[in-house]
Amino acid sequence: MRKPVRGRALTIFMRVKRAEGQMSSLRKPTIRTAVDFIHSLRLDEIPQGALGAARRSLADTIAVGAAGLRTANSRIVRDFAAEHHATTGRGARTLFDGRRLAPAGAAMAGAATIDSFDAHDGQRETKGHAGVVVLPALLAFADEISRGDGREFLTRFVLGYEIAVRAGIALHATVSDYHTSGAWNALGAAAIGARAMHLSGDETRHALGIAEYYGPRSQMMRVIDSPSMLKDGATLGAYAGVSAAFLAEAGFTGAPAITVEAPEVASIWGDLGQRWRMEEQYLKPYPVCRWAQPAIRAALSLQDEIAGRAIERLRVVTFHEATRLAASAPANTEEAQYALPFPVAAALVHGRVGAEEIDGEGLRNPEVLALAKTVELVEEAAYNARFPAERLAHVEVTLADGAVLASRTLAAHGDPENPLSEGELSEKVRLFAEPILGSARAGRILEACEALPEDAAYRALIEDVLSPA
């Protein structure tokens, strides 16, 4: 049986002292090891650009989590976690749910809730998402710092991204298959847990190895071709990562994490603490796969010219991966979120793509369904060559009067080079969070994220995010 939280204070103190001794032996002259970085990073070392990006990603991910509460995916996993991961101890509160569970169960439920609504942030080189697991893992340990340490909360948030993203880049560089984000963002969760629990250097190394080995090496294109509630593997990525920290603390050993320790990935980790991957996150304006977003943007760029004129057919020219998003009549929100014809048609019919357009009655709109059937997807070699660094598309619209309109080539909006404006981010938070949380609570969350690392902002944020919606 685990020690009560209060009873673990002396054990944690001793671990801190032991970790301090071991960290010195792990340091290298020119490269800060991952273990050293996990335990020694301080908020003052993080540049303002990375902290600003962290506040934006935090607000964005929380809003997406609020919107995710409406999905069956979230409900099923939250109820499963409550039934099978209940705890007799203090536990961790679940995102926007309030039920206290064992930390791994709470993190799993939070990740499922965020991942159920495909609007969360991501990073191009990984072709995936860190925050969907970093945030619920961070919250799983939040009660341990609930006395109001906003500095540590924000530090751990950035830390999770820095470890997870590099693990993801390393995974893509060393294996041939394209795996879901849960295969690598689990290491970000393990890193947060190792720091929160003051694991020793050796224990931290084992935690990373356990998280990598148990992280879901699931093939991403399987859920592109057959969308389901499996989504991006984040649900089990969060569970594996948080569990890894507790297993390592108990003496469970793991194989070395090859995405961290293999010689061929050394250059990916060599700039840890110098290049901040936190600054490389994109934010999505629409709650669908990132690969569909340039086509949506291209279609909306023609909206004024189309106004009042009937559309005969649409031709979307894009990169190969996007052409795999072929659903024109999705049966559920999972299929709609991994579709291209349907959200493009919804954008032209409604002038926007939000939660209502890709779920519930929005899936049965006859005008959208009729237009989606006319969409032709065309693969462009030049766009393939620029993926994944760029996601590009252009749209050709044939009107009933015979006119043909063509957009220019456009990239997905929200990348670091063309970020969402503060107004656009605020509007996204409002559209996604207000229907679930109300305007006052959604506004408080946005303000608290902007005010971090102030302790008062941190305390207010934790209560708003972990209390039931």
Side-chain angles (χ1 to χ4, degrees):
M1 182 178 295
R2 289 187 54 77
K3 303 179 184 69
V5 173
R6 293 179 183 272
R8 298 179 63 220
L10 180 58
T11 301
I12 289 174
F13 173 77
M14 296 304 295
R15 288 183 183 279
V16 171
K17 302 307 292 182
R18 186 165 74 248
E20 288 173 350
Q22 292 188 11
M23 288 303 100
S24 61
S25 66
L26 291 170
R27 291 191 180 95
K28 297 179 181 180
T30 57
I31 299 174
R32 294 180 71 182
T33 67
V35 172
D36 184 19
F37 183 82
I38 288 167
H39 290 285
S40 66
L41 179 64
R42 297 294 177 263
L43 187 71
D44 294 342
E45 299 177 80
I46 305 172
Q48 288 302 312
L51 292 176
R55 295 182 187 100
R56 287 167 57 85
S57 279
L58 181 61
D60 184 84
T61 308
I62 291 170
V64 173
L69 288 173
R70 65 189 290 156
T71 66
N73 187 331
S74 170
R75 176 184 54 76
I76 290 169
V77 177
R78 282 186 289 122
D79 288 347
F80 169 86
E83 180 178 356
H84 296 281
H85 296 280
T87 178
T88 56
R90 187 161 181 243
R93 286 175 289 175
T94 308
L95 179 69
F96 290 128
D97 183 293
R99 285 178 284 187
R100 288 193 179 272
L101 310 176
M108 176 177 69
T113 297
I114 298 166
D115 207 25
S116 70
F117 199 66
D118 198 357
H120 42 287
D121 67 355
Q123 199 267 352
R124 289 175 294 195
E125 286 180 84
T126 63
K127 296 180 285 186
H129 315 277
V132 62
V133 159
V134 167
L135 176 61
L138 180 65
L139 293 173
F141 295 99
D143 284 335
E144 178 235 343
I145 54 170
S146 61
R147 290 165 296 184
D149 194 344
R151 293 176 62 85
E152 178 65 8
F153 182 83
L154 194 56
T155 302
R156 291 182 191 177
F157 188 71
V158 174
L159 165 70
Y161 276 78
E162 296 301 320
I163 298 298
V165 170
R166 283 175 173 79
I169 295 171
L171 180 62
H172 287 305
T174 53
V175 298
S176 58
D177 209 349
Y178 172 21
H179 294 97
T180 61
S181 300
W184 50 266
N185 57 26
L187 278 78
I192 291 170
R195 181 180 174 108
M197 298 166 67
H198 302 286
L199 299 189
S200 71
D202 285 343
E203 289 169 337
T204 299
R205 185 176 178 229
H206 284 300
L208 295 174
I210 296 165
E212 182 192 78
Y213 197 85
Y214 283 162
R217 288 282 180 104
S218 39
Q219 299 85 5
M220 185 68 216
M221 297 311 294
R222 287 177 60 187
V223 292
I224 294 296
D225 294 335
S226 301
S228 72
M229 293 181 184
L230 294 171
K231 304 302 284 286
D232 199 29
T235 301
L236 268 293
Y239 186 82
V242 173
S243 295
F246 284 99
L247 285 168
E249 183 194 41
F252 193 86
T253 58
I258 57 176
T259 56
V260 181
E261 300 191 30
E264 57 267 35
V265 303
S267 62
I268 295 170
W269 294 90
D271 59 6
L272 189 62
Q274 301 168 33
R275 176 178 182 175
W276 295 88
R277 298 287 186 174
M278 184 75 249
E279 298 180 10
E280 300 171 6
Q281 306 305 305
Y282 62 71
L283 302 183
K284 291 182 180 182
Y286 317 115
V288 298
C289 179
R290 186 66 167 171
W291 301 344
Q293 306 226 355
I296 296 172
R297 187 183 181 204
L300 287 173
S301 74
L302 299 174
Q303 195 172 25
D304 289 343
E305 295 180 73
I306 295 172
R309 305 162 75 180
I311 298 173
E312 187 171 288
R313 63 180 178 273
L314 288 163
R315 189 170 185 262
V316 176
V317 183
T318 188
F319 53 98
H320 168 76
E321 285 79 2
T323 66
R324 301 274 285 271
L325 304 169
S328 58
N332 50 54
T333 188
E334 279 74 33
E335 291 185 10
Q337 290 174 46
Y338 284 126
L340 195 158
F342 185 84
V344 166
L348 289 174
V349 170
H350 299 292
R352 52 171 269 184
V353 181
E356 292 77 13
E357 286 71 45
I358 51 93
D359 195 12
E361 289 301 313
L363 300 178
R364 292 177 284 277
N365 184 288
E367 189 177 356
V368 173
L369 291 169
L371 183 57
K373 289 180 181 178
T374 74
V375 176
E376 177 189 7
L377 303 181
V378 180
E379 183 177 333
E380 170 58 58
Y383 295 165
N384 287 342
R386 294 165 70 176
F387 177 81
E390 296 177 274
R391 280 89 159 165
L392 302 172
H394 71 267
V395 172
E396 299 166 4
V397 180
T398 300
L399 301 175
D401 60 16
V404 178
L405 306 176
S407 76
R408 56 193 176 91
T409 297
L410 290 172
H413 185 40
D415 284 333
E417 299 80 20
N418 61 340
L420 299 186
S421 68
E422 292 306 314
E424 288 173 321
L425 177 57
S426 296
E427 179 68 5
K428 178 181 176 181
V429 171
R430 187 186 70 78
L431 287 174
F432 285 17
E434 282 190 6
I436 307 299
L437 305 178
S439 58
R441 189 170 173 185
R444 288 197 307 269
I445 288 172
L446 185 60
E447 290 174 3
C449 290
E450 292 171 348
L452 283 174
E454 294 177 6
D455 286 345
Y458 164 71
R459 291 192 295 269
L461 180 66
I462 288 298
E463 289 309 309
D464 271 326
V465 170
L466 294 181
S467 296

